[in-house]
Amino acid sequence: RDREKITLYVGYDPREAAVFTAFCQSVIQHTTIPVSIIPLHQRMLDFDGQQDGTNAFIFSRYLIPEMMNHDGFALFCDGDMIIRDDLKKLWDLRDATKAVQVVKHDYKTREGRKYKGSPIENDNIDYPMKNWSSVMIWNCSHPAHAILTKNFVAEAGGAFLHRFKWLDDQEIGNLPKEWNHLVREQEYNPNAKLVHFTLGAPGFANYARDDYAWEWNAHLLDSINMVGERTEEIIRRAQWRNTNIRKTG
């Protein structure tokens, strides 16, 4: 087994930075072993991880084996999620006989648009293996991943990458469905261990009342907690100072 530390890569899009903050807070509050959290941020990677008009890390997730020097395991999660159980339980499921492990969703979307009402609203297209790649346990040592160089990933295209075309079916392991529950696409599950706001996070007005939204909000607010201070006052002061510095600067 790898040393007892989780290496966690998380998708980061500056247009919805709050989802990254809420997700990381949920990881910190629920995980019982050390976690190294690495944001997949375009500026840090010198790589255009977007290319197709969706989130800014849509392709950069496939650079993880190379970033890990093809050694050991790593976990990837989209940013628009929260953890509801100990992440160690997911980490303990890693399987050295598989190249990658995912929740193998089989569904047709209920909504044809995502991020509705926001500046990043776009089509929500059905395709085979949709959302498989939103939570992945990478076996970075697996020889099949040698193909995933930065140049190759830049040219391969979404259909090839999201459908794991470089792997044989038996090399793709299955994770329990509770570790990637799709909000709005699936019925509320009180036992969900990781929930994915795949159509839009509660920070967007159209999704503010979705299942698990109160938990997402709680994690976001906890991330700016200062003992003895009211959260709304922290926000008010930050907004006031930011506005006035911009005016005078």
Side-chain angles (χ1 to χ4, degrees):
R1 283 306 216 192
D2 286 2
R3 61 194 182 279
E4 281 296 285
K5 182 182 78 171
I6 300 170
T7 301
L8 172 61
Y9 288 83
V10 182
Y12 176 83
D13 189 327
R15 300 171 301 175
E16 47 173 351
V19 303
F20 178 87
T21 302
F23 176 75
C24 291
Q25 186 66 29
S26 75
V27 171
I28 290 167
Q29 290 185 200
H30 287 289
T31 307
T32 59
I33 62 173
V35 185
S36 177
I37 299 175
I38 305 163
L40 289 180
H41 181 27
Q42 183 172 321
R43 187 172 62 185
M44 297 177 179
L45 302 176
D46 189 28
F47 178 79
D48 183 2
Q50 191 168 6
Q51 301 183 23
D52 64 355
T54 55
N55 63 55
F57 49 86
I58 193 73
F59 289 163
S60 53
R61 69 191 74 192
Y62 300 103
L63 300 178
I64 291 173
E66 185 175 70
M67 294 172 68
M68 291 284 293
N69 295 314
H70 299 280
D71 182 42
F73 286 86
L75 176 62
F76 168 78
C77 293
D78 278 4
D80 54 352
M81 301 176 165
I82 55 170
I83 299 294
R84 304 178 75 238
D85 202 346
D86 190 349
L87 198 62
K88 181 182 183 296
K89 295 179 182 178
L90 176 58
W91 186 244
D92 285 345
L93 298 177
R94 59 201 191 279
D95 182 350
T97 70
K98 304 298 182 182
V100 68
Q101 294 163 263
V102 301
V103 176
K104 295 183 177 180
H105 297 292
D106 182 13
Y107 76 104
K108 297 290 185 182
T109 184
R110 296 177 176 181
E111 300 189 20
R113 302 282 287 172
K114 61 192 305 185
Y115 307 120
K116 287 190 290 188
S118 80
I120 58 173
E121 179 175 345
N122 60 66
D123 291 334
N124 184 35
I125 299 169
D126 280 316
Y127 55 86
M129 303 182 181
K130 185 176 177 69
N131 262 313
W132 286 25
S133 64
S134 56
V135 174
M136 296 183 283
I137 298 178
W138 285 101
N139 177 1
C140 300
S141 307
H142 197 282
H145 298 323
I147 195 175
L148 299 177
T149 64
K150 184 180 288 189
N151 289 337
F152 181 86
V153 170
E155 300 293 333
F160 181 92
L161 295 169
H162 293 318
R163 300 174 196 176
F164 302 94
K165 292 282 192 177
W166 72 97
L167 298 176
D168 294 330
D169 288 347
Q170 65 270 22
E171 293 175 318
I172 306 172
N174 196 14
L175 294 174
K177 63 182 181 180
E178 292 81 11
W179 284 107
N180 194 356
H181 177 80
L182 306 178
V183 179
R184 286 201 181 193
E185 300 284 21
Q186 297 170 334
E187 298 301 320
Y188 177 81
N189 179 3
N191 299 314
K193 300 176 184 299
L194 181 155
V195 297
H196 184 185
F197 300 98
T198 182
L199 297 174
F204 292 120
N206 276 318
Y207 306 92
R209 296 181 180 274
D210 280 359
D211 292 341
Y212 315 98
W214 74 268
E215 296 178 44
W216 185 91
N217 286 314
H219 287 304
L220 183 64
L221 292 173
D222 284 346
S223 74
I224 57 171
N225 179 55
M226 298 291 291
V227 64
E229 297 289 336
R230 296 172 60 191
T231 301
E232 58 268 32
E233 284 300 307
I234 296 171
I235 295 170
R236 184 191 63 78
R237 289 195 298 267
Q239 289 174 328
W240 183 88
R241 288 192 59 79
N242 195 40
T243 300
N244 281 275
I245 287 171
R246 286 181 176 177
K247 285 179 179 179
T248 59

